[in-house]
Amino acid sequence: MHMRISLHRFVDELTEGLVPLAVSRRNIIINQIDRDLEVGSDENMLAYVLWNLLNRVVSSTQNECIHIESVSAGDRTVIRVRNAGVYFYRTVSNSFRQVQYAAERLGGSISIDYTEPGSPTIELTFYSKMTAA
């Protein structure tokens, strides 16, 4: 079902379930998503994609401040997760293909940027799927 939801609030709700794991791994999760950014896509599919990405980041990270931010440019919206942890690549297995497929069904794609040594950045990019209110 497609409905408009606040992406900031949506991420807050998803990360709430990750707090015990984050605390046990001495991580802090900071939601820096633009409060005016709304999502107009399948809520369940988006939850599946974001939950999988965030859960893998928290699981592969220790003693970090994990930043979740949004960047909008033209018809493109990027949800960026910084400080994904040095072991993130080890958590990317065959099941990650399913997450990528779900992102593609939402009109997006997932990329992993390893330019920062020991601290990859995960990007979930959508084209013309999200708009600021």
Side-chain angles (χ1 to χ4, degrees):
M1 180 173 179
H2 294 272
M3 53 190 290
R4 304 218 42 92
I5 57 169
S6 162
L7 188 59
H8 184 90
R9 187 170 46 243
F10 192 70
V11 168
D12 272 349
E13 290 169 3
L14 285 176
T15 56
E16 205 172 288
L18 291 169
V19 168
L21 177 61
V23 168
S24 74
R25 299 192 58 81
R26 295 186 298 278
N27 291 323
I28 296 171
I29 302 170
I30 299 177
N31 181 355
Q32 297 175 301
I33 300 280
D34 180 348
R35 290 184 184 272
D36 293 331
L37 192 60
E38 290 187 343
V39 179
S41 65
D42 183 318
E43 185 175 350
N44 292 327
M45 186 95 59
L46 183 61
Y48 172 79
V49 172
L50 284 175
W51 170 261
N52 273 281
L53 289 177
L54 296 173
N55 185 43
R56 288 166 199 255
V57 167
V58 173
S59 297
S60 64
T61 307
Q62 200 158 347
N63 300 315
E64 283 288 348
C65 185
I66 300 165
H67 294 264
I68 307 164
E69 43 193 46
S70 60
V71 179
S72 294
D75 66 342
R76 185 176 67 141
T77 299
V78 178
I79 300 169
R80 184 177 294 146
V81 183
R82 291 192 295 117
N83 297 339
V86 68
Y87 300 111
F88 181 81
Y89 70 93
R90 290 186 187 168
T91 69
V92 178
S93 62
N94 286 338
S95 64
F96 191 72
R97 279 192 185 139
Q98 294 172 322
V99 177
Q100 177 72 26
Y101 175 72
E104 289 169 1
R105 291 204 43 210
L106 288 169
S109 65
I110 300 169
S111 61
I112 305 169
D113 179 3
Y114 289 104
T115 54
E116 291 279 327
S119 186
T121 298
I122 315 309
E123 291 188 346
L124 176 57
T125 303
F126 292 94
Y127 298 93
S128 300
K129 289 286 181 185
M130 299 180 179
T131 56

